[in-house]
Amino acid sequence: MRLQLSIVVSALSAVTVAAPVTEDVKRGSPPLPSTDSFYSVPDNIDSYALGAIIDHRSPPSAIAAFGLDPLNLEASYQISYRTSDNFGNATSTVLTVLVPNNADTSKVLSYQVAEDAADPNCAPSYAMQFLANSGGLLGTAVTQAEILLIEAALYQGWVVIMPDHEGPLGAFLANRMSGHATLDGIRAALASTSITGIQSSARVGMWGYSGGSMASNWAAVLQPEYAPELTDSLIGAAIGGTVPNIPNVIDTVNETPFAGLIASGVLGLANVYPLVATVVNTEILDQYKAKFDEVAQQCFVPDILDFLLADVKSMVSNQSVWTRPDIVEVLQYNSLEYAQAPPSSIPFYVYKSVLDEVSPVADTDSLVSAYCSAGVSVEYTRDIASEHGSLAAIGAPKALMWLKDRFDGKSAASSCSTNTVVSSLLDIATIEVLPSFLVDALSALLGGEIGPTFIG
Ligand SMILES: *[C@@H]1O[C@H](CO)[C@@H](O)[C@H](O)[C@H]1NC(C)=O
Ligand SMILES: *[C@@H]1O[C@H](CO)[C@@H](O)[C@H](O)[C@H]1NC(C)=O
């Protein structure tokens, strides 16, 4: 394993760590999701069809152009919609819709954010609003690279939608919920013409990195059964920093800079699995209980800082809990490696650092190979000169170009291909899909001027 502590530390110092959210409230920011009735699941949620719009509004606080340059949004919306939790029970969540100026309302990108937190107040619909006034909470929920990616997509004229795919309980790693919420968010977007102008016949691409790749990939896997009518709408999925096997991630990140992912993942699952909640309550050693309690009330960056290099697997009274069959079953139920392949109607672009220090590249190699055997068209880029955090930015231009080709109606390759490249970024200067200010921002991000990115 390559442990790049200096990079991570500089990345962390580059990210704006949020003030406690209570201070944001004191400053007059919009109410937290946990106290905002717009986020409440209606009592009669069962009476809504999947993806049905429950309510909509303008974001309480305006969403700006991400503090960068001049990409003015024409409009933004929040839509509350019916979806299903990890077990298929009715629930609701919130979609953010970003409409750029001169939007092509026939092209919709569903961007799944790597929220990676167990606190519902880290939901992207909420965090995005702080772009307008403070940037505070942003650093905890959406990393610098992801903002650039979303902005790059808006620059194409695509309408960008972002589901709060962890649902109303902050169910990080309850990945079937994330898949449901992504698919129902697309349904809600396609049904929102009178609100957003999105055409009901719009073509939809999906994109996500790391935690967001799981949501996007699960949406594709679950689509044939859960949302069969979307077959003709979905043009492809670009997924990077892929995470096919959760038990392997736990072993890989323990005692590394990413160790906090174990804590946020366990607490995310505890939010929806009584079994996991019981294990947390009974197994976490007393001296670590307060640390874990904090994770339930904070977002990704502080979670990572709290557990930097920690041996999280040893923070329990009986370490065999990690291999207990009932716990392993939960982890596998939410791991792509143990699920069916997506339908061949959804082509995939997969990008992964060969040195990825969160999820070993071998797991993605075998996932891609299984998908290819099942008839899915997968264009797979294995990138050598990167690691998990930096590939989010380095790999983005190619992913964006791949999505653009799909939106432009070019067919994906009929067969699978794998390319191991020194760097996906070598040709960035010639990549015409990106406006120059974004190329500059991306280069600065990677060149250390701002600091490399850090996405979990
Ligand atoms: C959700 O679904 C599970 C499994 O189908 C069921 O046992 C449980 O009672 C349901 N919970 C609620 C709150 O409906
Ligand atoms: C630890 O847990 C395992 C599996 O649940 C159990 O078999 C074992 O007896 C436990 N060890 C202790 C010391 O409690």
Side-chain angles (χ1 to χ4, degrees):
M1 196 202 67
R2 215 171 61 148
L3 200 153
Q4 296 185 314
L5 185 57
S6 61
I7 289 183
V8 171
V9 169
S10 67
L12 288 172
S13 59
V15 173
T16 314
V17 178
V21 281
T22 46
E23 287 182 19
D24 286 320
V25 173
K26 281 188 213 136
R27 287 204 305 267
S29 294
L32 294 165
S34 57
T35 62
D36 180 346
S37 62
F38 186 76
Y39 288 82
S40 306
V41 180
D43 291 338
N44 63 340
I45 187 65
D46 276 312
S47 69
Y48 289 88
L50 295 172
I53 293 173
I54 297 165
D55 200 358
H56 67 90
R57 67 180 182 185
S58 294
S61 182
I63 292 169
F66 308 119
L68 281 173
D69 253 320
L71 216 141
N72 295 317
L73 289 172
E74 183 181 292
S76 57
Y77 307 90
Q78 290 178 341
I79 293 175
S80 150
Y81 62 100
R82 151 88 204 257
T83 187
S84 309
D85 68 14
N86 216 47
F87 315 103
N89 296 328
T91 188
S92 68
T93 195
V94 171
L95 186 75
T96 302
V97 180
L98 304 177
V99 183
N101 285 317
N102 305 311
D104 180 344
T105 54
S106 71
K107 293 173 181 165
V108 174
L109 178 71
S110 187
Y111 188 89
Q112 283 61 248
V113 167
E115 179 183 342
D116 294 9
D119 177 356
N121 291 330
C122 307
S125 64
Y126 180 72
M128 279 293 171
Q129 297 175 68
F130 286 93
L131 299 168
N133 48 27
S134 75
L137 192 60
L138 174 71
T140 65
V142 187
T143 58
Q144 296 175 32
E146 293 209 284
I147 300 159
L148 292 177
L149 310 195
I150 292 163
E151 179 130 22
L154 289 167
Y155 182 84
Q156 305 300 322
W158 306 339
V159 178
V160 176
I161 60 174
M162 278 178 295
D164 290 350
H165 60 80
E166 291 186 17
L169 300 174
F172 177 39
L173 291 191
N175 290 323
R176 288 164 190 261
M177 157 97 229
S178 288
H180 295 151
T182 301
L183 291 166
D184 287 319
I186 292 167
R187 283 171 157 149
L190 296 179
S192 71
T193 312
S194 64
I195 303 164
T196 64
I198 292 173
Q199 296 176 32
S200 57
S201 60
R203 281 165 298 149
V204 182
M206 299 189 288
W207 192 7
Y209 194 86
S210 194
S213 79
M214 291 193 282
S216 314
N217 197 336
W218 273 103
V221 164
L222 297 172
Q223 180 267 324
E225 251 180 67
Y226 187 81
E229 85 281 10
L230 292 181
T231 299
D232 293 337
S233 310
L234 293 171
I235 53 146
I239 59 166
T242 35
V243 186
N245 183 311
I246 296 171
N248 286 353
V249 171
I250 294 175
D251 291 336
T252 306
V253 302
N254 195 43
E255 295 184 90
T256 79
F258 287 97
L261 282 172
I262 303 175
S264 58
V266 166
L267 289 197
L269 289 169
N271 284 338
V272 290
Y273 280 94
L275 166 75
V276 179
T278 302
V279 165
V280 169
N281 287 332
T282 56
E283 291 286 335
I284 304 295
L285 292 169
D286 283 347
Q287 64 266 40
Y288 302 116
K289 283 212 160 86
K291 239 167 137 67
F292 272 77
D293 284 347
E294 277 176 26
V295 172
Q297 298 167 50
Q298 67 190 16
C299 302
F300 173 66
V301 171
D303 287 347
I304 289 295
L305 290 172
D306 273 4
F307 289 89
L308 215 57
L309 304 180
D311 184 357
V312 182
K313 287 183 73 177
S314 298
M315 294 181 175
V316 293
S317 52
N318 182 345
Q319 283 204 46
S320 63
V321 75
W322 302 106
T323 49
R324 245 173 61 179
D326 51 353
I327 295 296
V328 170
E329 190 185 323
V330 169
L331 300 177
Q332 292 184 348
Y333 185 71
N334 293 290
S335 293
L336 289 158
E337 188 170 322
Y338 299 92
Q340 72 269 29
S344 58
S345 55
I346 305 178
F348 268 58
Y349 177 70
V350 177
Y351 52 113
K352 178 79 177 172
S353 172
V354 172
L355 299 171
D356 192 295
E357 68 280 53
V358 169
S359 169
V361 73
D363 288 353
T364 295
D365 292 346
S366 60
L367 191 79
V368 165
S369 146
Y371 286 6
C372 289
S373 303
V376 183
S377 162
V378 185
E379 190 175 327
Y380 180 27
T381 298
R382 301 165 88 252
D383 190 286
I384 293 172
S386 58
E387 32 75 53
H388 186 81
S390 65
L391 188 68
I394 291 172
K398 278 194 170 176
L400 191 75
M401 278 170 55
W402 185 90
L403 284 164
K404 186 174 187 304
D405 282 347
R406 300 293 81 73
F407 277 123
D408 289 347
K410 293 183 194 157
S411 311
S414 54
S415 59
C416 288
S417 63
T418 297
N419 281 309
T420 300
V421 301
V422 174
S423 174
S424 312
L425 203 60
L426 288 178
D427 49 357
I428 186 168
T430 64
I431 290 174
E432 287 163 11
V433 293
L434 288 180
S436 60
F437 77 88
L438 276 177
V439 174
D440 292 347
L442 207 50
S443 308
L445 200 63
L446 294 164
E449 222 176 287
I450 301 175
T453 66
F454 189 54
I455 290 193

